[in-house]
Amino acid sequence: MTQTALVVGASGIVGSATTQLLLANGWQVAALSRHPSQAAGVIPVAADLQDPDSVKQALEGIKPTHVFITTWSRQATEAENIKVNAAMVRNVLDALSPGKSVKHVALVTGLKHYLGPFEAYGKGTLPQTPFREEQGRLDIENFYYAQEDEVFAAAERDGFTWSVHRPHTVTGVAVGNAMNMATTLAVYASVCKATGRPFVFPGSRVQWDSLTDMTDARQLAKQQLWAATTPAAANQAFNVTNGDVFRWKWMWTRIADYFGLHPAAYPPSVSPLETQMADDQAAWTDIVREHGLKEADINRLISPWHTDADLGRPIEVITDMSKSRALGFKEFQASDQAFFDVFDELRKQRLIP
């Protein structure tokens, strides 16, 4: 029987990778976003996830066997994050409930499960690394927990299985995405090369020196598909990374080499991208004009605040993947190649020079 999927947040980094993987494996896919793109083999579904009536109308007649929730909406405070993002999950699952078609729901969250929300990021008492799934929730408000609780409640009501996926920083391609380190660094490197500015690492000394890991969107998509189709993985949460570790002092050199830059030494003080790139629109406009690029608005490509949050952490961040490995998930992706693949695709789409 053909499996049918609803990908929520299909235009984002994770949603687009998930959609592509499902299509490649012969699934029928409905792709839900506020402004869905027209893609071969995909049923576009346009809806405002914060409006239950909009979601209900958009999903009328759509009966997926599997739902992949890959989106969130950043708000000014964590209380508002909880209110909005929990409602988005609830609106989708409530709209699908009458059809009784759903067998499994996969929810993508992340390492803020262990680190806390942005307004309390890396502060207070934190779990020891590597982060493991059996570590309990922090005693702090967190919209990831609220999203999980919506999935758990709907699963109990409607009888489907679930999986939760916790990636580290995700690399992939999606214009206008709120969390996009690879594209942000590609634009930053391009500006440095064009203007002669030093290619300065923007994060903390701890991140520069310590071990860390990352998650390719394709790796995350593979784990979601594996969990959705592996009975032993039902009703469990999984960390997901590429499977390797690195230090940023090494990765910074790898990225610099790709763009033909000399990596600067670690600076005397932290140099966040929000400060370094605050006035880069003019330089980017010149680059776009010179190279005939497609996206003139630098803010649709970069997310300095998010890259600064990840690279500015005061603690080592390593993620344990033993749980899914023991159950049979064996996929691997080299993290430097994951960056290069994004850069290659950005060049192919004429988004960077």
Side-chain angles (χ1 to χ4, degrees):
M1 183 180 70
T2 301
Q3 302 281 42
T4 59
L6 172 67
V7 179
V8 182
S11 61
I13 293 175
V14 178
S16 59
T18 303
T19 298
Q20 292 167 17
L21 180 64
L22 292 168
L23 289 173
N25 280 271
W27 287 53
Q28 294 180 353
V29 180
L32 189 158
S33 63
R34 187 183 290 269
H35 303 292
S37 58
Q38 301 294 325
V42 174
I43 301 170
V45 181
D48 177 358
L49 290 174
Q50 298 183 38
D51 181 348
D53 290 333
S54 171
V55 176
K56 183 178 180 180
Q57 292 174 14
L59 293 178
E60 187 174 357
I62 294 177
K63 294 186 176 182
T65 56
H66 295 69
V67 181
F68 299 86
I69 302 175
T70 69
T71 190
W72 72 288
S73 177
R74 188 190 186 203
Q75 305 298 311
T77 66
E78 193 60 17
E80 194 66 17
N81 273 333
I82 290 170
K83 178 182 177 182
V84 169
N85 289 284
M88 289 164 58
V89 173
R90 184 170 61 252
N91 291 341
V92 170
L93 298 181
D94 283 356
L96 294 173
S97 182
K100 304 301 180 186
S101 65
V102 178
K103 297 179 179 179
H104 184 87
V105 172
L107 172 68
V108 176
T109 60
L111 295 195
K112 287 190 289 295
H113 182 93
Y114 308 108
L115 289 162
F118 282 122
E119 60 193 47
Y121 212 29
K123 300 176 182 177
T125 302
L126 293 167
Q128 292 188 2
T129 58
F131 297 140
R132 292 183 168 89
E133 296 93 340
E134 63 268 21
Q135 294 170 205
R137 294 179 174 184
L138 299 174
D139 186 19
I140 188 172
E141 288 189 327
N142 191 321
F143 80 88
Y144 283 168
Y145 307 160
Q147 287 182 308
E148 287 181 345
D149 288 343
E150 293 293 342
V151 172
F152 300 159
E156 184 174 353
R157 177 190 67 201
D158 295 333
F160 56 74
T161 60
W162 55 265
S163 57
V164 174
H165 304 266
R166 299 171 184 160
H168 197 166
T169 303
V170 177
T171 56
V173 178
V175 175
N177 189 274
M179 300 192 298
N180 201 333
M181 179 187 286
T183 302
T184 298
L185 293 181
V187 171
Y188 172 57
S190 300
V191 170
C192 287
K193 186 170 185 178
T195 62
R197 278 164 38 190
F199 187 54
V200 178
F201 181 71
S204 69
R205 185 82 205 203
V206 172
Q207 292 304 305
W208 180 253
D209 289 330
S210 299
L211 290 172
T212 192
D213 47 32
M214 296 192 73
T215 308
D216 188 307
R218 298 167 298 184
Q219 177 84 339
L220 175 50
K222 289 174 183 176
Q223 195 196 61
Q224 289 184 85
L225 178 56
W226 165 80
T229 56
T230 302
N235 302 330
Q236 298 193 57
F238 297 104
N239 293 331
V240 52
T241 61
N242 290 333
D244 61 357
V245 296
F246 61 89
R247 302 181 199 278
W248 268 105
K249 63 171 63 174
W250 174 82
M251 185 65 79
W252 203 245
T253 298
R254 298 289 287 153
I255 294 173
D257 287 348
Y258 180 96
F259 288 98
L261 293 166
H262 178 73
Y266 188 83
S269 59
V270 176
S271 303
L273 287 180
E274 275 203 300
T275 300
Q276 291 194 58
M277 302 188 75
D279 300 316
D280 279 348
Q281 178 62 66
W284 184 248
T285 299
D286 291 341
I287 293 169
V288 169
R289 185 183 303 114
E290 179 181 352
H291 295 277
L293 305 182
K294 289 184 176 180
E295 183 53 67
D297 184 356
I298 195 172
N299 292 313
R300 280 184 48 77
L301 296 171
I302 65 173
S303 51
W305 65 270
H306 182 260
T307 299
D308 288 341
D310 277 4
L311 298 183
R313 293 172 182 148
I315 63 169
E316 175 185 81
V317 178
I318 294 288
T319 315
D320 181 74
M321 275 190 68
S322 299
K323 185 178 180 181
S324 61
R325 296 300 194 207
L327 290 173
F329 182 71
K330 307 297 186 184
E331 298 290 341
F332 171 85
Q333 169 64 56
S335 292
D336 57 343
Q337 190 61 50
F339 272 113
F340 302 157
D341 288 349
V342 173
F343 301 156
D344 287 347
E345 182 62 25
L346 292 172
R347 281 181 167 168
K348 180 180 178 181
Q349 295 186 24
R350 292 173 46 223
L351 292 170
I352 62 170

